[in-house]
Amino acid sequence: MVTSESEHRPLNVLISGAGIGGLAAAAALRQAGHLVQVFERSSFKNEYGAAVSISPNANGILRELGLALEDVGGVNAAKVNEYGADGALYRTIDTAGFAQRYKYPWQYIHRVDLHSGLKDIVTSPTGTGTPATIHLGHRVSSVDNDTATLTLENGERIHGDLVIAADGVNSVLRNNVDHSGIHPSPFGLSTYRFLIPADVLYADPQTRRFIETGEFELWSGGNNKLVLYPCRSGTVLNCAFLITDENPHENKKAAAFLYLDYNFAHDARAHAAGLLAANAGVQMQSVC
Ligand SMILES: Cc1cc2nc3c(=O)[nH]c(=O)nc-3n(C[C@H](O)[C@H](O)[C@H](O)COP(=O)(O)OP(=O)(O)OC[C@H]3O[C@@H](n4cnc5c(N)ncnc54)[C@H](O)[C@@H]3O)c2cc1C
């Protein structure tokens, strides 16, 4: 989808989707001197999400793009504690040392903060290259590979030199590149997330430790897992349940709480999990 003249002038790049992938591509292409337009179906009014774990390699790329995660609420990973189904500590990983070993740290960031940080470097009037334009409320319905032309849902056609499909797991453009008819399908595991404000956890001596250490906790209960780690400069604890779909309960939220009640054999952890769930009192969202 690149024209023959493209080596001699900045490319007009059209990106479908302003998620993490689309914005990261826009930031890199802007930095490389290209002219970028991003077409996003949503209005960004209801951006949601919980925390995302950013490994050292991804962290290095973000820094090269101009985004230091600690500037937008990123928390340095201190240690990973992994517990078995019997409640015993199975292993620990010293993630604080990753910055020395791998050059960049492992950090935790709220997805909305990562998304906003990327959006800022993509559109900022300062910085290298020409600010990209993000067209909100513009759903892409198809692409012509031969002419690098996007067709929007409203019928408008946009011509460019290069099209990047970054429209997520349910991409409508994927089939223009891959003709084998790949469709995402459930793989038997759902994730439910909720966030608990740190002050709620600090107020209860029994839950304080989950936020004050900055550590990542992974609790296994058979095939189900509970993951805890801080984000937003340590002001919020991210909690994620990974629940297998073989769970007999159609209501996954109810299943998650039953899991808390019954699947942790170790009394202290079951108690702690119950406290966390009670403190949360918030909606859980399935993200897969
Ligand atoms: C709202 C939201 C919340 C999430 N929360 C979390 C989280 O808390 N933790 C976590 O680990 N992961 C989360 N994810 C998933 C994670 O961000 C992505 O799986 C990962 O970053 C891959 O990024 P991506 O850019 O490929 O896709 P996505 O981040 O899914 O972005 C795709 C973008 O393309 C847009 N789009 C889709 N179709 C079209 C179209 N036809 N035309 C124009 N635009 C289109 C979507 O609106 C979206 O903005 C979330 C994703 C979303 C969209």
Side-chain angles (χ1 to χ4, degrees), residues 17 19-21 39-41 48-51 111 138 140 166-168 193:
I20 305 298
F39 298 86
E40 166 58 44
R41 68 179 173 186
Y48 65 86
R111 183 188 179 274
H138 284 65
V140 175
D167 49 348
R193 295 171 182 270

Side-chain angles (χ1 to χ4, degrees), residues 52-63 69 77 98 102 104-109:
V52 183
S53 174
I54 306 291
S55 58
N57 53 348
N59 211 306
I61 293 168
L62 289 169
R63 277 163 206 275
L69 295 185
F98 277 20
Y102 301 116
Y104 302 106
W106 183 349
Q107 291 178 307
Y108 310 129
I109 181 97

Side-chain angles (χ1 to χ4, degrees), residues 146-214:
D146 295 329
T147 60
T149 302
L150 287 181
T151 301
L152 305 182
E153 194 179 44
N154 63 12
E156 195 180 344
R157 287 164 61 81
I158 321 282
H159 300 279
D161 299 312
L162 171 70
V163 170
I164 295 181
D167 49 348
V169 68
N170 293 307
S171 170
V172 293
L173 299 192
R174 182 189 296 121
N175 291 336
N176 283 69
V177 181
D178 177 277
H179 300 289
S180 61
I182 295 173
H183 293 290
S185 57
F187 63 98
L189 194 65
S190 296
T191 304
Y192 292 83
R193 295 171 182 270
F194 60 81
L195 300 166
I196 310 179
D199 52 1
V200 172
L201 297 168
Y202 275 117
D204 183 339
Q206 297 183 86
T207 55
R208 182 176 300 158
R209 81 168 183 89
F210 295 114
I211 192 75
E212 68 185 358
T213 61

Side-chain angles (χ1 to χ4, degrees), residues 29 61 87 108 110 117 139 141 148 156 218 226 231 234 272 275-276:
L29 288 161
I61 293 168
Y108 310 129
H110 194 294
R139 182 187 289 267
S141 49
E156 195 180 344
L218 172 62
L226 174 59
C231 62
L275 285 170
L276 287 174

